[in-house]
Amino acid sequence: MTRVFSGVKPTGHLTLGNYLGAMRQWVAVDQHRAEALFCIVDLHALTVDHDPARVRRLSRQAATLLLAAGLDPTLCTVFVQSHVDEHARLSYLLECVATDGEMRRMIQYKEKAAREQRRGGSVRLSLLTYPVLMAADILAYGTDEVPVGDDQAQHVELSRDLAVRFNRRYGHTFVVPRATLPAVAARVMNLQDPTSKMGKSDDTGPGIVYLLDEPDVVRKKVMRAVTDNGREVVYDRESRPGVANLLEILAACTGGDPEALAGAYESYGALKKDTAEAVVEVLRPVRDRHKELCADPGHVEGVLRDGAERARATARPTVDDAYRAIGLLPAVSRTTEEVVNAVG
């Protein structure tokens, strides 16, 4: 059976972009067709300045929202990255296979490092190496497919490169994964800056629709979305990015086609109104289910505990094989008799 792995980073509140670009696909398709693992990648949240209490809070919220969106723990595995030691164990081995040049070519590192340099600061070493940790997340589970937004495809390519390189040097150990991209709304853009992704780590507010926004807040944000020069509603990502973003969001919410939808509107106002209502209705069941789950925190904790146990059982044999393959001496366990004698 095909194995799928993907995750969300608890660096901010989950957004409409997370839902339309990834989570809905996980719920409607991936958990039914594959052996699917979905992870709160909290170790990745430590690569930037952070408030420890906020990371814990956002990790719990993200897990609750994944379940609220419809992930079923009887069909898939939902867990927290730091609860499974194999992620960190494998990450160091892969650092011994990756190169400095590969890390410094990663687009997100280059952008963030340059931004910090302009401010007179520097980024954490973990930001440079986190694509290797992401590769470990994927390779530990023998993952076949990684459903991601197009901005993460480069990291999946690195995972492929590291898997192939490790296999050639030390013997076949890892499955070589591939990225899969959703056909519509693979990258929902910021409503105030339609050339930038609607990212959960961006706190600009008005341009981001969060999954837990109240309906009136959603409507206000969409109605204030930046559009483009001219009055004609045309689907053109290059010359009309604002309108194209609204059309893609509407299409993703209603199951339509952005280009076909453009022909149904004569004004930006009508497009914004329909888009706002479509977003409100798409998010309504998620918000309602989230409220129910928050009233039963023990259920979420149980799902994460059971998920970590299943994930650990899946990952440990592969990671143990990688330790042996690269040349590390296996740990020797005590026999039952030795344990009894030591205790006695």
Side-chain angles (χ1 to χ4, degrees):
M1 191 175 187
T2 299
R3 186 169 290 164
V4 169
F5 176 93
S6 198
V8 294
K9 185 165 59 173
T11 51
H13 300 287
L14 295 181
T15 71
L16 178 67
N18 297 125
Y19 182 71
L20 296 181
M23 293 165 61
R24 195 169 61 168
Q25 166 94 4
W26 301 347
V27 169
V29 179
D30 293 327
Q31 69 173 340
H32 298 284
R33 70 175 179 84
E35 183 181 350
L37 300 100
F38 301 107
C39 183
I40 314 304
V41 288
D42 55 343
L43 295 177
H44 290 288
L46 310 186
T47 61
V48 295
D49 289 341
H50 63 277
D51 172 12
R54 186 170 187 263
V55 171
R56 285 190 290 269
R57 185 170 63 252
L58 289 175
S59 296
R60 178 183 292 276
Q61 183 186 89
T64 306
L65 280 169
L66 290 181
L67 298 176
L71 288 183
D72 183 344
T74 67
L75 298 174
C76 65
T77 301
V78 181
F79 66 105
V80 176
Q81 179 190 32
S82 63
H83 294 177
V84 180
D85 293 344
E86 278 62 33
H87 292 258
R89 289 180 62 207
L90 182 56
S91 182
Y92 180 72
L93 294 197
L94 295 179
E95 284 186 16
C96 297
V97 176
T99 67
D100 176 75
E102 285 175 316
M103 296 301 97
R104 295 186 187 280
R105 285 194 296 271
M106 293 289 111
I107 293 173
Q108 291 193 21
Y109 170 77
K110 289 169 66 176
E111 291 177 347
K112 291 181 179 180
R115 186 162 58 244
E116 285 302 314
Q117 189 174 25
R118 288 194 296 270
R119 295 172 179 170
S122 62
V123 296
R124 298 184 180 191
L125 178 61
S126 56
L127 184 67
L128 177 65
T129 59
Y130 99 88
V132 176
L133 176 58
M134 182 174 175
D137 299 337
I138 295 166
L139 299 181
Y141 296 99
T143 302
D144 298 294
E145 297 180 6
V146 187
V148 292
D150 57 4
D151 61 318
Q152 291 293 329
Q154 184 187 35
H155 293 135
V156 180
E157 284 303 310
L158 175 69
S159 301
R160 291 172 56 84
D161 292 342
L162 295 180
V164 169
R165 191 178 305 155
F166 192 102
N167 290 345
R168 286 175 178 169
R169 289 180 181 175
Y170 307 114
H172 185 78
T173 305
F174 298 118
V175 173
V176 180
R178 61 184 179 276
T180 57
L181 306 176
V184 177
R187 199 176 192 193
V188 177
M189 311 306 280
N190 189 298
L191 295 174
Q192 291 299 312
D193 179 9
T195 62
S196 300
K197 184 181 73 167
M198 186 183 285
K200 60 181 177 296
S201 301
D202 181 358
D203 294 326
T204 54
I208 304 170
V209 174
Y210 297 105
L211 297 188
L212 296 179
D213 277 346
E214 295 290 337
D216 285 347
V217 173
V218 173
R219 293 186 182 99
K220 183 179 294 185
K221 288 180 178 180
V222 176
M223 293 304 295
R224 293 180 177 177
V226 168
T227 49
D228 311 290
N229 294 329
R231 297 182 179 180
E232 187 178 4
V233 178
V234 177
Y235 180 65
D236 186 333
R237 263 186 169 275
E238 296 300 321
S239 64
R240 302 285 185 87
V243 172
N245 189 37
L246 290 170
L247 288 167
E248 289 195 349
I249 292 171
L250 178 60
C253 290
T254 61
D257 173 77
E259 194 164 353
L261 285 169
Y265 292 94
E266 297 182 356
S267 71
Y268 293 162
L271 171 62
K272 287 181 176 181
K273 183 177 180 181
D274 284 358
T275 302
E277 293 306 319
V279 172
V280 167
E281 290 308 310
V282 160
L283 297 186
R284 189 183 305 280
V286 178
R287 293 179 64 254
D288 290 346
R289 179 59 177 151
H290 177 267
K291 188 178 298 184
E292 294 173 0
L293 289 169
C294 285
D296 185 12
H299 173 71
V300 176
E301 291 172 0
V303 168
L304 295 179
R305 181 186 61 247
D306 294 345
E309 291 175 358
R310 290 200 300 271
R312 192 178 303 114
T314 301
R316 182 163 293 171
T318 298
V319 177
D320 285 348
D321 286 347
Y323 268 58
R324 284 190 291 270
I326 205 169
L328 298 178
L329 190 66
V332 179
S333 300
R334 289 187 176 187
T335 65
T336 302
E337 183 179 355
E338 288 173 330
V339 172
V340 171
N341 291 337
V343 172

